[in-house]
Amino acid sequence: MTGRILRIELRRSAALGIALLLLVLGAVLLLSSTRFFAGRWMQLAVLARSTLVVLLPLALAGGAWLGRRDARYRVNELFASTVRPRWQRVVPTAGALAVSVVAAYLLIFLVAVGWVVPTAGYFPGATIVVTAVGVPALVAAAWLGMAAGRAVPRVITAPVLAVVGFVLVGLVPEWASAPGTGAEIGQPRAEPAGVLLLPAFTGLDDFQTIATRVSLLQALWLVSLAATGLLLLGAVRRRAVAFAVLPALLGVAVALPLLPAGGARGAAVVDPVAIELVCDNDGPQVCVTRAHAALLPDVVGPARQALAMMAAKLPNAPIRAVQTQQVTYWARLTSDAAPPRHSADTVVFDTPTINWVGRADLSGDYFLPSLLDAAWRQECGDQSVRGDVYRARTVATAWLTGQLPAPHPGSDPAETARLESAYQALVSLPEVEQRRRVAAAREGALECRDDELVALLPADQP
């Protein structure tokens, strides 16, 4: 009997309309950002979770709209006069809404899978867990919305819940990490652990994953919150309402002390498999990380061209090119003061831009200069780059190409003139002296010293 009612609710209630709205908006959000997850399973899982910023408020509002159905049709007194317990009447409707919103969420994920499968070289098992946390989140939002719609059966209830939900899920984490003042001005604060009670995630690096412990704690809290929503929906007396709140209180009491501070950055850990190197040895070795294995065919050619240009002019030139295995600075909760340094025979390049199908986007001729520039860089932690160091790197890279430094789009003409002047001063020296200075600059750069590199610039240049 309950199954038959559930099928009727799925066909005739607003549950399918709510699910369709979630599906369309979620798919639009994901498919408009394919370059951020194409070829990468974990990034897809995280971006699917980020759509909850929009989906959760809509689920709240949809639940409230469905929850006021009895009051809208003025059948509350009629149903209250029956001997059938209220929970028997609300469970099929709540189940239909839960099935609908969960199906919409999973379909959003499946639609986006088409941009991952063709080029993905690595499937982290945590992808399933990270994605699955969105399921109890949507169910909890839908059932809490139904309970609110039943308690306050007004037309304004649904839009108010949508706004409140968006502020809570979308804006509170931003406020919690807003830059500090005084001595900490401009520095983002570490979010309190309570931020992780909100299921939306943003800002994960390609080499990171969400710690499974964090995902399980979030799931525990969200399941308890969903239980509270269902109990509130079926509650009639005040004692039942008070009892309905207990699961959420127990969930937060267990999860909150165990959640780390720092929001998504605090919950993220480096995936050791994602940073394993995948190499092409048909010539000078070129390696990329397993997370970016699809980029290897695209970067091999430019990388070997750069190695050949270095070998032609640079003393003790590197003989292999390797993609960096360091997490991007903005994704780290704390700075790594002493990351592992690469050896002199290796040039470490940054990840190229990834296009909407998960391959390297090398348009604009930026990648080869960036590979040559990598000869003058070492992974020195969060060491800031001064203007004269940046200028010296540009001049040293131009020395490798044998051409004037290429002006950057929008660069100051005076800065371009300084770079050209410094380059001309370097190439006017005897060739032996040029090589000596450049070799000293590279040696200093590999030891995280800037003095030898800056010495390439004329002494009278500001």
Side-chain angles (χ1 to χ4, degrees):
M1 184 68 176
T2 302
R4 180 170 174 271
I5 297 174
L6 177 63
R7 290 192 296 272
I8 293 174
E9 289 285 359
L10 284 172
R11 291 198 309 268
R12 299 183 180 180
S13 73
L16 282 183
I18 296 167
L20 182 61
L21 180 61
L22 265 61
L23 175 60
V24 171
L25 288 180
V28 168
L29 287 173
L30 268 188
L31 298 185
S32 63
S33 308
T34 55
R35 67 187 183 92
F36 295 112
F37 68 83
R40 291 154 289 171
W41 284 105
M42 182 53 65
Q43 289 299 311
L44 173 58
V46 171
L47 281 173
R49 289 275 294 273
S50 73
T51 63
L52 295 178
V53 172
V54 174
L55 301 186
L56 286 179
L58 290 177
L60 270 171
W65 182 262
L66 192 58
R68 63 181 289 268
R69 183 178 61 179
D70 290 354
R72 186 165 66 248
Y73 292 110
R74 301 179 181 178
V75 294
N76 276 333
E77 291 185 3
L78 175 63
F79 288 152
S81 65
T82 64
V83 295
R84 191 179 185 186
R86 177 174 177 82
W87 66 267
Q88 291 185 5
R89 289 188 289 105
V90 301
V91 164
T93 306
L97 183 59
V99 169
S100 299
V101 297
V102 169
Y105 176 68
L106 296 179
L107 282 174
I108 292 169
F109 184 86
L110 290 176
V111 167
V113 163
W115 278 263
V116 178
V117 172
T119 51
Y122 168 54
F123 180 80
T127 299
I128 298 174
V129 180
V130 172
T131 305
V133 173
V135 171
L138 282 168
V139 173
W143 287 350
L144 288 172
M146 283 189 69
R150 176 211 164 201
V152 187
R154 308 291 184 189
V155 174
I156 198 174
T157 301
V160 167
L161 281 180
V163 173
V164 171
F166 179 76
V167 170
L168 182 64
V169 180
L171 299 183
V172 167
E174 296 294 329
W175 292 337
S177 61
T181 58
E184 298 180 350
I185 190 167
Q187 297 295 323
R189 293 193 294 260
E191 298 95 325
V195 169
L196 288 176
L197 296 176
L198 304 174
F201 266 134
T202 56
L204 201 70
D205 187 77
D206 288 357
F207 302 151
Q208 291 178 315
T209 184
I210 300 300
T212 301
R213 176 178 65 90
V214 173
S215 294
L216 293 178
L217 288 170
Q218 287 181 313
L220 171 67
W221 148 247
L222 292 168
V223 168
S224 66
L225 189 63
T228 287
L230 187 60
L231 291 174
L232 285 174
L233 186 58
V236 177
R237 297 180 176 84
R238 292 182 178 179
R239 181 177 298 179
V241 172
F243 175 77
V245 179
L246 288 180
L249 293 178
L250 290 174
V252 75
V254 172
L256 187 58
L258 300 176
L259 288 170
R265 293 177 299 152
V269 293
V270 175
D271 184 347
V273 180
I275 62 173
E276 289 179 355
L277 294 179
V278 179
C279 301
D280 186 312
N281 297 312
D282 295 334
Q285 189 181 64
V286 178
C287 303
V288 298
T289 58
R290 190 172 298 279
H292 295 150
L295 308 183
L296 185 57
D298 301 320
V299 304
V300 163
R304 287 182 177 152
Q305 182 183 355
L307 290 173
M309 295 173 69
M310 295 176 196
K313 299 189 69 174
L314 189 63
N316 299 319
I319 58 174
R320 62 194 294 260
V322 174
Q323 181 192 358
T324 181
Q325 297 170 286
Q326 298 299 312
V327 173
T328 308
Y329 72 92
W330 50 259
R332 299 195 297 260
L333 184 62
T334 58
S335 61
D336 187 355
R341 295 183 182 179
H342 58 266
S343 59
D345 67 347
T346 302
V347 62
V348 177
F349 58 89
D350 294 330
T351 306
T353 304
I354 300 175
N355 62 20
W356 65 279
V357 293
R359 302 298 295 268
D361 181 3
L362 305 184
S363 60
D365 299 326
Y366 74 93
F367 191 53
L368 179 60
S370 72
L371 287 166
L372 296 175
D373 180 78
W376 320 105
R377 287 187 280 117
Q378 172 67 277
E379 294 180 323
C380 303
D382 291 336
Q383 184 182 45
S384 60
V385 179
R386 308 193 310 264
D388 55 352
V389 175
Y390 174 78
R391 195 176 303 128
R393 286 179 183 173
T394 303
V395 171
T397 300
W399 180 83
L400 287 175
T401 64
Q403 299 176 353
L404 288 171
H408 295 281
S411 60
D412 182 9
E415 176 65 16
T416 301
R418 282 195 291 269
L419 291 173
E420 292 179 356
S421 174
Y423 172 76
Q424 294 291 359
L426 177 61
V427 298
S428 65
L429 297 172
E431 184 174 347
V432 174
E433 179 63 14
Q434 293 179 41
R435 288 177 175 271
R436 187 194 67 79
R437 292 194 179 191
V438 170
R442 174 167 165 75
E443 183 180 348
L446 292 176
E447 295 296 329
C448 294
R449 301 193 309 266
D450 296 330
D451 293 344
E452 295 89 339
L453 189 62
V454 174
L456 296 177
L457 302 175
D460 57 349
Q461 190 176 92

